[in-house]
Amino acid sequence: MSQIQIPRGTQDILPGDVELWQYIETKAKDVCRRYNYHEIRTPIFEHTDLFQRGVGDTTDIVQKEMYTFEDRGKRSLTLRPEGTAAVVRSFVEKKLYGNANQPTKLYYTGPMFRYERPQSGRMRQFIQFGVEALGSDDPALDAEVLALVMSIYGELGLKDIKLVINSLGDKTSRDDHRQALINHFKPSITEFCEDCQGRLEKNPLRILDCKKDREHQLMSTAPSILAYLNEESKAYFDKVKNYLDKIGIAYEVDPTLVRGLDYYNHTAFEVMAVGKGFGAITTLCGGGRYNGLVEEIGGPPTAGIGFAFSIERLIMALKAHQLELPFEQNIDCYLVSLGEQAKEKTVELLYRLRAAGIRADKDYLDKKMKAQFKAADRLKASYTVILGDDELAVNKINVKHMETGEQVEVAIDSLIDYMKTQLEGGKEL
Ligand code: HAM
């Protein structure tokens, strides 16, 4: 029988690697807590309509990349391709806008699904960590959200990155720019790919993001959004930049930065990897303002801003920079036994050690004593606790500090307290 393999574009995260993921998640959550953002968990699948309306009908995501299926009740459901639409749906449905504490500041993490062509840094299932702040259009909040993502990256030690920002302006600015783009591309649109031809009237901004027509000469001469920003939009963008300057966050303005999702206005941004040794995909994180999205999903007019990054790409960047993170993979103690009665006793001791909060393990393969010691070494146990039938008879047990090789004998009944004191104090024997 042929062996069943993992689906393309997905991965198993095995012990040994998962600790890095857990470390990153803990770090990101810790930064969020300091910024007073709270976790929200939404379902893995949603009604397909949500993404059609939220992410936008003309986006690649909705047109080509969604995992959409009909359930047994004939409803069209979709595995979430991103988190923002679902968070906004929940914000509207659960009336979070009615809470006294505004803006509503949320973070989330979990798997997202896109049917993309898999390559390094582009998966069909990937884990996003994202943040959404809803209920304020203060440019200081844009700066806060940007500071938050840069803090996460900074605290993980990532240095070779840059923050790239742009403004897509308000609705009037966008409409004017849209018309200018149509005028610019229309006379030569037949020279562009089929997707772009479809985008011309529906969403010409997306032409600028086309991977196939990137080299067309009309791309570099396309009208810049910055030239179409009205006074309010310009002033808004200036304030965001001013706050970033005040906090001391470096950024680059790139007027060609357009995002692949429809809901953005005003501030749009990406964090890019700039170091050598990084693959073709250099965007680590993307986000921006989406002031019309809550209304689009059926809620009251509410401003919003957020970002998301995938942990896969973050790990790629950490590895490209050869950054080692200080997560612990060892255990506190390994129980070695010699003889039948001693073995039985270790089962009970192991349970008691763990109940006392100590990371402990023992042999389950009836290994010889020497092999049990080897296992303790492999698991990087700080202590080995050794019990033989002879010691058991006199109620004693040996504790060996693996680093120094020192060994002491303690009464079995005081083992748990003894281990606790040793580990808490980090003391040698
Ligand atoms: P996005 O640019 O589509 O935006 O994705 C954000 C990030 O998710 C990317 O920068 C990348 O790190 C990661 N990502 C996307 N697709 C893949 C993939 N196929 N494989 C690995 N990683 C991937 C959004 O999703 C918006 N919801 C971000 C946002 C939040 N905007 C406002 N709030």
Side-chain angles (χ1 to χ4, degrees):
M1 227 196 296
S2 68
Q3 204 181 326
I4 297 174
Q5 290 180 337
I6 193 169
R8 237 163 90 73
T10 66
Q11 68 172 328
D12 298 315
I13 306 163
L14 303 178
D17 289 329
V18 83
E19 290 78 6
L20 177 60
W21 288 72
Q22 290 168 337
Y23 181 84
I24 291 170
E25 284 158 6
T26 306
K27 192 53 128 181
K29 287 178 185 179
D30 179 50
V31 176
C32 282
R33 241 171 267 131
R34 263 182 277 147
Y35 276 71
N36 195 28
Y37 285 65
H38 297 272
E39 185 175 0
I40 181 167
R41 300 186 187 189
T42 62
I44 300 275
F45 57 82
E46 295 272 353
H47 290 291
T48 304
D49 281 355
L50 174 68
F51 303 115
Q52 283 168 339
R53 263 205 271 165
V55 177
D57 262 337
T58 58
T59 58
D60 281 355
I61 293 180
V62 170
Q63 288 193 341
K64 307 181 199 161
E65 295 171 3
M66 295 209 300
Y67 281 90
T68 297
F69 60 97
E70 205 174 72
D71 74 0
R72 287 167 195 271
K74 304 253 175 286
R75 295 169 203 94
S76 178
L77 298 171
T78 294
L79 300 184
R80 59 184 185 191
E82 59 102 53
T84 313
V87 168
V88 169
R89 193 248 332 117
S90 179
F91 177 82
V92 171
E93 195 173 342
K94 298 291 163 1
K95 299 192 171 55
L96 301 185
Y97 48 81
N99 290 350
N101 280 338
Q102 295 299 336
T104 302
K105 303 207 281 188
L106 304 166
Y107 75 84
Y108 52 89
T109 186
M112 307 289 160
F113 306 85
R114 296 185 194 177
Y115 190 78
E116 295 200 80
R117 184 183 298 220
Q119 64 184 93
S120 163
R122 182 170 289 146
M123 310 284 296
R124 288 186 173 164
Q125 174 177 323
F126 53 97
I127 312 286
Q128 271 189 350
F129 190 96
V131 150
E132 313 293 349
L134 294 134
S136 162
D137 63 359
D138 185 341
L141 191 60
D142 301 44
E144 172 176 290
V145 166
L146 287 163
L148 199 168
V149 65
M150 295 314 274
S151 298
I152 294 176
Y153 285 143
E155 292 191 21
L156 289 168
L158 211 52
K159 287 200 187 73
D160 289 347
I161 51 173
K162 67 173 177 185
L163 170 65
V164 182
I165 62 172
N166 188 21
S167 172
L168 304 176
D170 62 8
K171 189 166 180 330
T172 325
S173 311
R174 283 192 68 158
D175 287 348
D176 291 348
H177 181 233
R178 184 175 181 279
Q179 195 51 53
L181 286 172
I182 295 177
N183 298 343
H184 179 74
F185 287 115
K186 201 167 187 173
S188 317
I189 195 65
T190 50
E191 295 166 21
F192 284 75
C193 71
E194 236 172 70
D195 284 347
C196 282
Q197 298 188 17
R199 286 167 184 149
L200 182 70
E201 297 292 340
K202 285 192 220 137
N203 191 356
L205 199 65
R206 297 277 303 114
I207 298 179
L208 300 177
D209 209 22
C210 179
K211 286 159 200 129
K212 287 191 208 137
D213 294 317
R214 195 182 291 158
E215 301 302 325
H216 196 288
Q217 55 150 4
L218 283 187
M219 288 294 217
S220 56
T221 54
S224 157
I225 178 68
L226 294 185
Y228 288 83
L229 292 186
N230 56 19
E231 285 311 312
E232 291 87 349
S233 301
K234 242 188 251 162
Y236 191 93
F237 195 36
D238 285 343
K239 280 189 189 150
V240 174
K241 289 186 286 185
N242 188 33
Y243 282 126
L244 289 175
D245 293 338
K246 288 249 156 63
I247 309 176
I249 291 185
Y251 57 87
E252 218 172 76
V253 176
D254 179 356
T256 66
L257 183 129
V258 287
R259 305 265 306 119
L261 298 88
D262 273 359
Y263 43 63
Y264 294 111
N265 40 52
H266 289 291
T267 318
F269 60 90
E270 289 185 348
V271 182
M272 325 275 288
V274 292
K276 284 201 194 96
F278 206 76
I281 297 172
T282 53
T283 305
L284 297 180
C285 169
R289 256 206 182 274
Y290 47 84
N291 289 351
L293 184 60
V294 176
E295 251 180 306
E296 184 69 41
I297 306 290
T302 309
I305 179 164
F307 67 77
F309 60 78
S310 69
I311 300 186
E312 285 82 355
R313 286 193 198 170
L314 170 55
I315 288 179
M316 276 176 67
L318 292 171
K319 292 202 167 143
H321 302 155
Q322 281 156 5
L323 279 177
E324 297 273 337
L325 296 179
F327 55 83
E328 286 182 31
Q329 263 181 301
N330 63 323
I331 62 167
D332 297 320
C333 95
Y334 193 84
L335 287 172
V336 168
S337 66
L338 183 69
E340 254 328 289
Q341 280 159 345
K343 184 182 158 190
E344 244 173 54
K345 184 71 182 173
T346 55
V347 173
E348 177 210 323
L349 287 175
L350 185 60
Y351 177 79
R352 284 173 48 206
L353 283 165
R354 288 167 171 171
I358 294 168
R359 292 171 298 177
D361 210 349
K362 73 180 277 303
D363 166 59
Y364 287 102
L365 298 173
D366 271 333
K367 283 189 182 148
K368 300 246 154 51
M369 196 130 163
K370 204 169 154 201
Q372 292 185 48
F373 274 111
K374 269 199 183 142
D377 271 338
R378 270 197 307 274
L379 291 169
K380 299 195 184 87
S382 306
Y383 295 87
T384 313
V385 175
I386 309 137
L387 184 64
D389 284 349
D390 293 350
E391 284 98 350
L392 182 61
V394 290
N395 227 356
K396 296 273 189 217
I397 197 162
N398 281 299
V399 179
K400 183 175 176 188
H401 186 249
M402 297 298 271
E403 213 177 291
T404 59
E406 264 183 90
Q407 195 165 313
V408 293
E409 202 176 56
V410 296
I412 291 185
D413 293 342
S414 60
L415 175 71
I416 311 296
D417 285 341
Y418 179 80
M419 285 307 303
K420 269 181 23 193
T421 324
Q422 289 302 315
L423 291 162
E424 274 159 22
K427 277 181 283 177
E428 291 174 8
L429 297 175

